Amino acid sequence: MIKLENVTLRVKQIRGGRYGDFCVGELFHECCELKVKDSLLDQFEEGEYHGTVWISRIFLHQYIAFGKAVTEMRATLHDMQLDSASDAPVETELAEPDPLLESPSLTSQTPVWSAPLPAPSTESKTEGSTRLGEQMRERIERIKRNPGQPTQAIAQASSVEDVGQVDTPDLPEVLREYWDQIRGLQPVKLDPTVDRSMLREQTKAIGQLGSYKFVFQDQTWHPK
C-alpha cells in the first residue's frame, strides 16, 4: 500500500455518455501525476479535492479512442481521506472515453506496482444479507404491534416509494439493499466494488430522491 499526503484529486465529469454521465480523475502529488478512473469517482461532483489517498496499484494503461492510441499511468485507489474541495479549472481538451467501453482486446495493462491482494471472502455479503433479514423481521413485528399506527419509518418509506414510482420506476430495485436505511433517513454508503454500471444507477437513483446529498469527506450519502 502506498500512502500519499497533500494530494490534489481533480475530478472531471463527462456528460452524455452512452451509459450515462461518468467521472474521471487526475491525481497530482509532488512525486507524480496519475490518472484515476475508479468507479467510486462517479459519485463525486466535478471539482478539485485535497487530502490523503492510499494506492493499491499503479500500472501503465494503453487504449485506443477517438482515432488515437493513448498511454497513461493509472492508479487504483484503496481509500481516500479528503479534507477540502475547490472548483476545478475549466478544460477544453477532448472528452475522455467511458471506462465501461474499454474493450480488453484494445487495451493493455502493464503493472508498475501493486499491493498484495487479500483472499476473497464472502463474509461481508453474508453479514449484509443477515442484517437485512433481521431488519425486515423487526419492521414486520412493529407493524403487528401497532396495526393502525404506522411508524415514522414506514410513513417515510411510502413517500420514498412514491418518488421512485414517479421519477424512476426502477429505483426500488436498484436500491433494494439500502431500503431500510433510506426509509429511516439514515446515511447510505454505496458499495464501490459492485459493477460500475450498477453503481452509476444507484448514484443516479439516490440523487433523484432529493433528500440525500453526497458528502465527499466520508464518501457517504447523508440526509439533507
Side-chain angles (χ1 to χ4, degrees), residues 155-171:
Q156 289 170 343
S158 230
S159 62
V160 170
E161 288 176 350
D162 289 342
V163 171
Q165 291 172 356
V166 173
D167 297 333
T168 51
D170 297 330
L171 176 59

Side-chain angles (χ1 to χ4, degrees), residues 143 145-150:
I143 295 174
R145 290 194 298 267
N146 303 280
Q149 300 176 354

Side-chain angles (χ1 to χ4, degrees), residues 44-100:
F44 281 69
E45 296 288 341
E46 192 169 69
E48 286 189 347
Y49 300 86
H50 314 280
T52 301
V53 300
W54 287 261
I55 297 175
S56 60
R57 183 182 180 219
I58 297 175
F59 58 97
L60 192 65
H61 187 87
Q62 297 176 316
Y63 63 92
I64 298 175
F66 306 109
K68 295 182 179 180
V70 180
T71 301
E72 60 190 17
M73 192 71 72
R74 283 194 191 178
T76 300
L77 300 181
H78 175 75
D79 199 3
M80 297 186 292
Q81 183 178 324
L82 303 176
D83 307 314
S84 60
S86 58
D87 293 335
V90 177
E91 298 182 356
T92 57
E93 65 182 36
L94 192 63
E96 296 269 2
D98 190 334
L100 280 176

Side-chain angles (χ1 to χ4, degrees), residues 33-217:
E33 293 184 10
L34 302 166
K35 287 281 190 177
V36 179
K37 298 190 175 179
D38 293 7
S39 60
L40 63 87
L41 294 184
D42 289 340
Q43 299 181 74
F44 281 69
E45 296 288 341
E46 192 169 69
E48 286 189 347
Y49 300 86
H50 314 280
T52 301
V53 300
W54 287 261
I55 297 175
S56 60
R57 183 182 180 219
I58 297 175
F59 58 97
L60 192 65
H61 187 87
Q62 297 176 316
Y63 63 92
I64 298 175
F66 306 109
K68 295 182 179 180
V70 180
T71 301
E72 60 190 17
M73 192 71 72
R74 283 194 191 178
T76 300
L77 300 181
H78 175 75
D79 199 3
M80 297 186 292
Q81 183 178 324
L82 303 176
D83 307 314
S84 60
S86 58
D87 293 335
V90 177
E91 298 182 356
T92 57
E93 65 182 36
L94 192 63
E96 296 269 2
D98 190 334
L100 280 176
L101 297 176
E102 291 183 349
S103 170
S105 62
L106 297 179
T107 63
S108 63
Q109 300 182 4
T110 304
V112 175
W113 177 88
S114 60
L117 295 177
S121 172
T122 59
E123 181 179 354
S124 60
K125 291 184 178 180
T126 303
E127 290 179 352
S129 300
T130 302
R131 186 169 58 253
L132 180 59
E134 291 175 351
Q135 292 172 343
M136 291 293 290
R137 285 193 291 271
E138 289 175 1
R139 189 162 72 249
I140 292 172
E141 289 301 320
R142 287 199 301 269
I143 295 174
K144 288 180 179 179
R145 290 194 298 267
N146 303 280
Q149 300 176 354
T151 64
Q152 181 179 3
I154 299 300
Q156 289 170 343
S158 230
S159 62
V160 170
E161 288 176 350
D162 289 342
V163 171
Q165 291 172 356
V166 173
D167 297 333
T168 51
D170 297 330
L171 176 59
E173 184 64 31
V174 171
L175 294 174
R176 175 182 293 274
E177 182 180 352
Y178 307 99
W179 274 0
D180 290 323
Q181 293 164 268
I182 292 174
R183 289 171 175 175
L185 284 181
Q186 300 173 4
V188 174
K189 189 177 183 68
L190 300 179
D191 180 5
T193 64
V194 301
D195 180 76
R196 186 165 193 156
S197 59
M198 171 60 73
L199 183 61
R200 287 186 191 176
E201 290 297 323
Q202 292 175 335
T203 298
K204 179 180 178 181
I206 196 169
Q208 288 180 336
L209 286 177
S211 56
Y212 276 87
K213 179 178 178 61
F214 183 71
V215 178
F216 69 85
Q217 285 90 342

